[in-house]
Amino acid sequence: MLDLVHKSTLHSMVCQAILVLICLLCYGCGGLSGAKFVFDDTVAIVKNRDVNSLPTNWTAIFTHDFWGASLLSSDSHKSFRPLTTLMFHCEYALLGLSAAHMKFLNLLLHCVNTILMWRLIRSLYVPEVSTARWAILSAALFAAHPIHTEAVSGVVGRAELMFGMIHLLCLLLTVANTGRLGPQTGGLIMLLTAVGMLFKESAVTIPMSCVLLDYFQNGYYHLRFKDQWSLLRTRMSYLFYLLGTLGLLTGRLWWQDFETPTFKEVDNPVAHNEHVLTRGLSQQYLLVMNIWLMLCPHWLCYDWALGCVKLVTNIWDLRLQGVIGFYSIVLVALMNFRRLPGMMLALGLMIIPFLPASGIICVGFVIAERTLYVPSIGFCLLSIYGFLYWYDSSTENTHWRTALRILLMLLFSVMMVRTRQRATDWLNEEQLFKSALQVCPDNAKVHYNIARLATDMGNNTKAFQHYHRAIELYPNYESALMNLGNLYREHGQLTTAEEYIRLALQAYPAFPAAWMNLGIVQSAQGKFDKALASYEKALKYRANFAVCYYNMGNLYLEQKRYAEALHHWQHAVALNPRQPKAWANILTMLDNKGLQEDALRISNQALQHLPNDVSILFIRANVLGKLKHYTEAEAIYKRVIELEPHNTLYHTNLGVLYHRWDKTQEAIEAYRTAISISAARASTARENLSKLLKRLEREAQVMQR
């Protein structure tokens, strides 16, 4: 007996070790080195003050959406995931803002979910297949499936991973209490569902999945339909799940003031199409596309919005054959659900978690691969169920069974290689966008993101090319039009810049950023009154637009209205303290007015929000030097130089500090370092060095006399 227990324990440990090893081979083993925040990570984490601000702002975390906007704002996507945001914030507080460690935690969660899935399937009662084999093969497919790459390698996929974990825990609770589902178990599942909804809204489907699993595990499908209906109506736990789900949904909607999100056509062209038939047919085709991505994950793209999937406009579109095929499979499953309950269970576990993303409510995407993380549990079950049913029915044909085993191993190998390749794409944005261009060359959003990244990297030629291509593919792409206008402005082509920004405003008149950028162009043209009107228009559409207040301050500075300029910069940093240019302008103005003590006080406030900002540190060091606080100024200059060692100005000003401090040798070294970095830009350093050397020469001559 003990030997059997030991063998069973050893077998379990080996199975779990194999599953973890598959996860590590796909995503770990050096695959996270050089990882960066990509795509949605930038908005949800890097630029989200709820994540990267200390001390913890509990009110903001529980009243803002996942992207950092107020949940009651008209701009909000209403994606309320405070516990996911809180996880990111805790990681930031403990380990700093590092993509590698955040992605590593995602990998650990994926390992946990894989093991939970294995435990769940192993505990099911499905007589038509071997549950031990079904468990290990389904979990292995889940571990290696490439469709999970976005959820695991994209940090914002944390929401899906946590939803998956809670979903599997609730299913395990349901199986463990089969036949005796009491109020304690039901209450615990509803509590976990509520917690899951704070990680990802789709967790609201968990009770429905639990009902499905309980229905099949209790064997209710054997009863006549009339008896089944009577049983379902009288089963209190099912009624409790229904009422609890409705209560959670009502509470969730109440928290966002029963407002619905507003998405642009750029985000989801299907939902914005005016023809009901086109919307309906296209949505059905998208359902099949999602299944196809799980079935054949060769074409994977981080964004399927514009140009990836053409709309289905009539019933004669050949792509609808896939829709007919899918519903035929569902029909066959329904007709045989008593004979093949495992197939129906797997199909249900694939469909139910996908319902929120299926188009029954308006969503801000066409296809989002990370939303398939939990539905893929059912897909993996269904795929391996079909394989085992086929394999077990071929007992007399040993050659065929051998061929099936070889094909299965080949499938796993291909899946692992593809996942590893796709995980590499998600290491940085350049690789990610490049891979998307191969899958969706006519996707305007892909070209837009490539252009945006090229601008950040200083490759303006490439940026111009892809912005123009994005606009060619989608002429009303307001963000691309505005950014192209900004690019022309940076190249001094102000008239062309104004034309493109006005085109952006024609496409979207309530575009606050475009109004602000139009004001910047008009200010550069000397049209100060028009610029002010444009800024005011931007503030009309976004009242707390901090960057706009900063630019208004710059406008007043050009008009020599210093008090108003200072006021607007102060208002900008009050709204958003993470604006280094606004802080730098405030400090420079105070310094120029001779208010050094005020400048020091304000710089302390600025450094609480931006402790490593070079411009703020540099101005503070200059002010301390003027006040003859040489030791403190020297320490800050050295810190600035450590952050940017190749900046001529910083070495020059350190030399000036030493010059005033009568540290002659140190001043000479600082000046010479500045000249060695860039002789052309070090004119001040050359002049000061020349004066210092001449002074030293005169002093030496006097000493000799």
Side-chain angles (χ1 to χ4, degrees), residues 92 578 580 606-618 639-640 643-644:
Y92 165 74
R578 292 176 174 272
L607 290 170
Q608 288 176 8
H609 302 284
L610 299 162
N612 294 314
D613 186 80
V614 175
S615 59
I616 296 170
L617 288 167
F618 179 63
R639 184 178 166 193
V640 167
L643 292 168
E644 288 190 19

Side-chain angles (χ1 to χ4, degrees), residues 65-94:
D65 67 16
F66 188 53
W67 313 102
S70 171
L71 200 61
L72 301 181
S73 167
S74 58
D75 297 328
S76 172
H77 287 187
K78 313 301 180 189
S79 47
F80 183 60
R81 304 165 195 170
L83 293 187
T84 308
T85 302
L86 187 60
M87 278 188 80
F88 294 150
H89 174 73
C90 291
E91 288 171 74
Y92 165 74
L94 294 171

Side-chain angles (χ1 to χ4, degrees), residues 576-595:
N576 180 10
R578 292 176 174 272
Q579 289 198 89
K581 291 182 179 179
W583 285 114
N585 284 5
I586 293 169
L587 296 173
T588 301
M589 182 170 284
L590 292 173
D591 185 24
N592 291 340
K593 285 184 173 183
L595 302 172

Side-chain angles (χ1 to χ4, degrees), residues 172-221:
L172 279 164
L173 273 172
T174 302
V175 174
N177 291 274
T178 298
R180 49 188 175 86
L181 202 60
Q184 295 88 351
T185 303
L188 182 56
I189 287 173
M190 289 310 302
L191 177 62
L192 286 171
T193 300
V195 172
M197 288 178 67
L198 298 179
F199 281 108
K200 180 70 189 286
E201 301 86 345
S202 302
V204 73
T205 60
I206 289 175
M208 203 185 307
S209 296
C210 291
V211 167
L212 176 76
L213 183 59
D214 186 70
Y215 169 83
F216 278 102
Q217 287 299 288
N218 280 304
Y220 296 151
Y221 58 90

Side-chain angles (χ1 to χ4, degrees), residues 124 347 397:
L124 295 179
L347 197 61
N397 193 335

Side-chain angles (χ1 to χ4, degrees), residues 90-112:
C90 291
E91 288 171 74
Y92 165 74
L94 294 171
L95 302 169
L97 208 59
S98 166
H101 82 248
M102 287 185 166
K103 291 187 179 188
F104 180 69
L105 182 53
N106 277 16
L107 173 55
L108 292 182
L109 289 171
H110 182 54
C111 293
V112 170

